[in-house]
Amino acid sequence: VHYLATAIWLTDSDTPIRVASGAESLPKRLVHATISLEDLQIVKRAVNGTVNDAIVAVTSAGLTRYLQDQFVSKSNGQKSNEETFTSISKCEQVHLCGTKQIKYLPDNLRVRAALIVNTRPAPGLHELNEMLKSNSQASWGNKVGYVIFPIPIKHYDDILSYAHSAKKIADRKKASLEAIFTNAVGNYLTNLVGAKITAYLTRRVGIHCTLGLSNVLGPTEEIQWTGNPVVHIIPTVYGHSAALSIHYQSYMGKVKISMQVAEGIISAPEKLCEGFVNVLQQMKHAAEVSLAKENK
């Protein structure tokens, strides 16, 4: 129901990282940073979750802090226009250059990510030589489904609360079988009304969400391409209907965060990407403290 509502009318809040439509035709920039897979695993152990939970937590905390900065800049530019900020609450105080500055964040922001999920179970994969046999019953390709994942945009005094919140949402999404349902609906609609209408509805989901988000598990050992060692794997997308796409790609114990942003919509992509790295370090420290207390 949530997926269908998003495809038809349910849209995210207007924020400095979202564009209502037309993101496909805007110039894009690609920024990236590297984090440690072990740091994510420390966070996941602290909340008894998964690496995916830790990734969503970093995304949630990173976007929250970036939006706080954007809204406080807007509030400073508009001086004391109280009518504009009637629904905005004070959520944090920080010290900058020796002076106290109050940051603002609108209440009840709806920020969601469209996640592409392969619903095909790993044990069902066949070796290539088996699939190439003429009488093979193995099917080719991925079975793609979509999950509309709410990204909590709020201030927590304890930074690990982002990870606890992400785990609760992820557990609920897994139980809902949303990815399997959307895969089945997509196949049914394609057979019933054709690929164009299905593609139109899928595009509307992307437009009504704020960002695209993916996490791909990569090789744990070094790989080569035509005899040359591969140093980084930096995925991205083309023609996406959102102004922001974030991809996490693991490789050799490291995770590359790559962000594709629409120019003119997201004004400081380097700051956004750097903020994710800083948030993970703070989250790792809090997780280590929490784990140390549990082991006493």
Side-chain angles (χ1 to χ4, degrees):
V1 176
H2 188 203
Y3 181 87
L4 294 177
T6 301
I8 298 171
W9 61 271
L10 185 62
T11 185
D12 280 5
S13 305
D14 290 330
T15 63
I17 59 173
R18 180 179 178 270
V19 60
S21 62
E24 300 96 328
S25 59
L26 294 175
K28 302 296 193 303
R29 290 186 62 187
L30 178 66
V31 296
H32 58 87
T34 303
I35 58 177
S36 170
L37 179 59
E38 176 60 26
D39 291 350
L40 290 172
Q41 291 173 339
I42 291 173
V43 174
K44 77 152 190 174
R45 288 196 293 269
V47 298
N48 194 28
T50 65
V51 170
N52 283 337
D53 297 335
I55 283 174
V56 173
V58 170
T59 304
S60 176
L63 290 179
T64 296
R65 295 192 176 186
Y66 179 80
L67 289 173
Q68 284 177 343
D69 289 339
Q70 295 300 304
F71 280 113
V72 72
S73 298
K74 182 179 179 181
S75 67
N76 289 339
Q78 292 182 354
K79 297 182 180 179
S80 59
N81 187 350
E82 294 183 358
E83 292 183 359
T84 305
F85 294 96
T86 53
S87 64
I88 294 179
S89 59
K90 299 176 183 178
C91 62
E92 184 182 13
Q93 292 184 342
V94 296
H95 291 274
L96 296 176
C97 301
T99 60
K100 183 178 289 186
Q101 181 179 5
I102 298 176
K103 291 191 175 184
Y104 296 89
L105 194 65
D107 293 328
N108 302 320
L109 282 177
R110 182 189 293 122
V111 174
R112 299 172 299 166
L115 279 66
I116 299 177
V117 179
N118 181 16
T119 63
R120 183 176 183 171
L125 295 176
H126 295 261
E127 296 294 336
L128 181 59
N129 58 355
E130 181 68 23
M131 296 175 68
L132 290 173
K133 293 180 179 179
S134 59
N135 60 348
S136 174
Q137 299 298 316
S139 60
W140 288 71
N142 296 322
K143 296 182 179 180
V144 176
Y146 293 87
V147 173
I148 308 301
F149 201 98
I151 304 296
I153 303 296
K154 60 186 299 185
H155 171 69
Y156 290 110
D157 292 328
D158 179 9
I159 197 168
L160 273 183
S161 295
Y162 289 101
H164 288 291
S165 178
K167 183 180 184 302
K168 289 180 181 179
I169 298 173
D171 289 344
R172 187 169 67 247
K173 286 293 181 179
K174 291 174 186 176
S176 71
L177 303 178
E178 183 175 341
I180 297 175
F181 171 77
T182 54
N183 170 262
V185 169
N187 291 334
Y188 176 77
L189 287 177
T190 300
N191 294 329
L192 182 65
V193 297
K196 286 186 177 181
I197 294 180
T198 306
Y200 171 76
L201 292 174
T202 302
R203 178 178 179 271
R204 286 183 62 85
V205 170
I207 291 174
H208 289 167
C209 291
T210 299
L211 68 148
L213 181 64
S214 72
N215 170 37
V216 178
L217 179 65
T220 58
E221 299 179 355
E222 184 181 84
I223 60 175
Q224 294 187 347
W225 177 257
T226 64
N228 299 304
V230 174
V231 179
H232 301 295
I233 301 177
I234 306 176
T236 187
V237 294
Y238 177 78
H240 197 265
S241 54
L244 174 63
S245 298
I246 305 175
H247 308 276
Y248 294 82
Q249 173 72 57
S250 68
Y251 178 51
M252 292 178 58
K254 301 291 184 180
V255 176
K256 182 68 72 172
I257 305 175
S258 62
M259 299 182 181
Q260 186 190 71
V261 304
E263 290 188 349
I265 303 300
I266 299 176
S267 58
E270 295 87 357
K271 180 179 180 181
L272 175 62
C273 195
E274 181 183 357
F276 277 44
V277 177
N278 295 336
V279 158
L280 176 58
Q281 291 305 308
Q282 296 172 21
M283 207 170 286
K284 171 195 171 185
H285 175 71
E288 289 175 334
V289 172
S290 176
L291 290 171
K293 291 180 180 179
E294 291 178 3
N295 293 331
K296 284 184 178 180

